[in-house]
Amino acid sequence: MTEQVDKLETVKEKFVHLLSELNDSELHSFQHFAQSALEEYHKQIHHHEEDIETEEHEGHFQPVSDAKMMKLGRIIKDLRTKVPVSAEAPGEKTAIPDTPEFKGYTDKNTVHVDGFLFSEEDIDDLCDEGKMSRNYCLDCQSRNVAPLNFISHSASVLQLQFMYQVALANKTKNKVIVDVGSRLGAVLYAGHLFTTARKLIGVEINEWFCQLQQNMVKKYVMDDRIQIIHDRIQNRPELLSKEADIVIMNNVFQFFNELPVQQEIWKYIRQETKKKSGLLLVTLPSLQEQLKEAGLSPAKLLRGWVKEVRLDYEGGWFQDITEDELEEAKQVHMYKVV
């Protein structure tokens, strides 16, 4: 960890030294160059394909009242009493993908922490209280030396805010939203509070999660617009091809299915969603990245299926946002079926 910090500080010093050698005119040109280079690098590490058709986002913003944010906070606190920090269901089996993104991740050096229930600040608090560690011992797995890897299976509150307040702003009125793999119900609760969608449908294969969602929906009086379906999405093609106006998928297959199964599901989703032109797909992370991690060709599958709606991540939508939070928001992507 110390080596990583030292390396970062060295790079920062070199960068500042380079800037000091430029005059005002050169600095202005260099700023544009650096911005473009960073954007290009970001596209490369997230596996974006340049030949996918795109369109610009309208740039609307949907405000959310403090009262609704507070209600979401109460739901989160309530859920923390009902699930472990990992937010995994009893007996649930997950597997760390054997892909470059997760190279070096093992059961011993990886912790599942739910991003909806726990922010980075919450994790710091848990560490301070001795309830969690960010490190483990390389020799004895006592978690006190090397950094642990953290994995979440839920969208964070910030990602949900960006999704509904920015990406889907002015797009949800009287619409039907389908969340594939709804787990705790984070997308559904936020959708109920943040939007005027006519119906929010969560499709979840795990019975325990379905019962948990049903209980929360009833307790917080959200059953007027939220419906939970206990089933595989493969058994409900009509949801994708007919009923949904918006489909949300948060890295829903990678940790729970072998590669051949992931590939079958993605081809099925393409097949069914293609039947409804104009259907919006919101994914975390990008479709390009998820398809590539599933061993498929993004360029081949995306062609003739969707065009990407280019979102403005740096539009100043939220106050006091950190660089880490901005990177969180950049995991949200939106597409329109052609």
Side-chain angles (χ1 to χ4, degrees), residues 1-255:
M1 189 70 171
T2 304
E3 291 181 3
Q4 292 177 346
V5 172
D6 290 344
K7 182 179 179 182
L8 178 60
E9 291 306 315
T10 301
V11 172
K12 285 181 179 178
E13 288 177 9
K14 289 181 178 178
F15 184 70
V16 171
H17 179 70
L18 284 172
L19 293 180
S20 68
E21 297 182 354
L22 303 175
N23 60 37
D24 288 346
S25 175
E26 292 169 334
L27 185 62
H28 183 71
S29 298
F30 183 78
Q31 180 182 350
H32 286 289
F33 162 76
Q35 234 169 354
S36 299
L38 285 170
E39 288 175 2
E40 180 62 29
Y41 180 70
H42 185 269
K43 287 178 183 177
Q44 289 178 11
I45 64 174
H46 288 290
H47 312 299
H48 280 242
E49 300 287 338
E50 291 300 326
D51 58 354
I52 182 174
E53 188 180 352
T54 64
E55 70 174 48
E56 293 300 318
H57 186 257
E58 295 93 333
H60 295 299
F61 181 78
Q62 177 63 51
V64 171
S65 69
D66 290 342
K68 290 180 177 179
M69 289 302 299
M70 288 174 66
K71 185 172 182 179
L72 187 64
R74 290 197 297 273
I75 292 173
I76 289 172
K77 287 183 179 179
D78 198 356
L79 281 168
R80 286 180 184 174
T81 68
K82 302 178 186 301
V83 299
V85 173
S86 65
E88 292 175 294
E92 184 180 24
K93 294 182 180 180
T94 59
I96 298 172
D98 184 19
T99 62
E101 181 184 358
F102 296 100
K103 185 177 181 180
Y105 282 51
T106 67
D107 291 336
K108 292 179 179 178
N109 69 15
T110 303
V111 176
H112 297 257
V113 179
D114 192 83
F116 176 58
L117 301 186
F118 298 96
S119 66
E120 283 293 320
E121 290 182 359
D122 294 325
I123 294 174
D124 287 338
D125 290 341
L126 289 171
C127 292
D128 291 341
E129 295 167 8
K131 296 178 181 178
M132 181 183 289
S133 174
R134 287 187 178 274
N135 305 291
Y136 78 108
C137 177
L138 291 168
D139 298 320
C140 61
Q141 283 78 54
S142 62
R143 301 188 172 188
N144 62 359
V145 176
L148 284 162
N149 300 305
F150 287 79
I151 289 175
S152 171
H153 301 300
S154 295
S156 68
V157 172
L158 177 69
Q159 288 172 328
L160 292 169
Q161 286 184 271
F162 185 83
M163 180 192 303
Y164 284 123
Q165 294 186 253
V166 180
L168 292 172
N170 292 359
K171 298 182 184 299
T172 59
K173 186 176 181 180
N174 296 324
K175 301 298 185 181
V176 174
I177 298 175
V178 172
D179 180 26
V180 179
S182 51
R183 291 185 71 80
L184 297 180
V187 167
L188 306 176
Y189 311 139
H192 192 281
L193 291 168
F194 296 175
T195 79
T196 55
R198 176 166 56 87
K199 185 187 288 188
L200 297 120
I201 303 172
V203 183
E204 173 56 52
I205 190 175
N206 187 289
E207 185 177 5
W208 188 86
F209 277 133
C210 285
Q211 189 58 58
L212 175 67
Q213 291 175 87
Q214 294 281 16
N215 294 341
M216 296 298 290
V217 166
K218 184 176 181 180
K219 180 175 181 177
Y220 289 91
V221 197
M222 294 180 163
D223 50 357
D224 59 331
R225 292 191 289 137
I226 291 181
Q227 176 186 0
I228 310 299
I229 296 176
H230 176 215
D231 206 347
R232 298 175 183 272
I233 191 61
Q234 299 96 302
N235 297 333
R236 301 286 181 141
E238 72 282 356
L239 290 178
L240 301 176
S241 61
K242 296 178 181 177
E243 193 162 353
D245 299 295
I246 300 164
V247 175
I248 298 174
M249 294 178 285
N250 176 32
N251 204 9
V252 66
F253 312 121
Q254 192 175 24
F255 289 89

Side-chain angles (χ1 to χ4, degrees), residues 47 49 99 287-298:
H47 312 299
E49 300 287 338
T99 62
L287 274 179
Q288 292 94 322
E289 185 169 343
Q290 293 192 64
L291 292 173
K292 186 168 185 176
E293 292 294 336
L296 296 167
S297 166

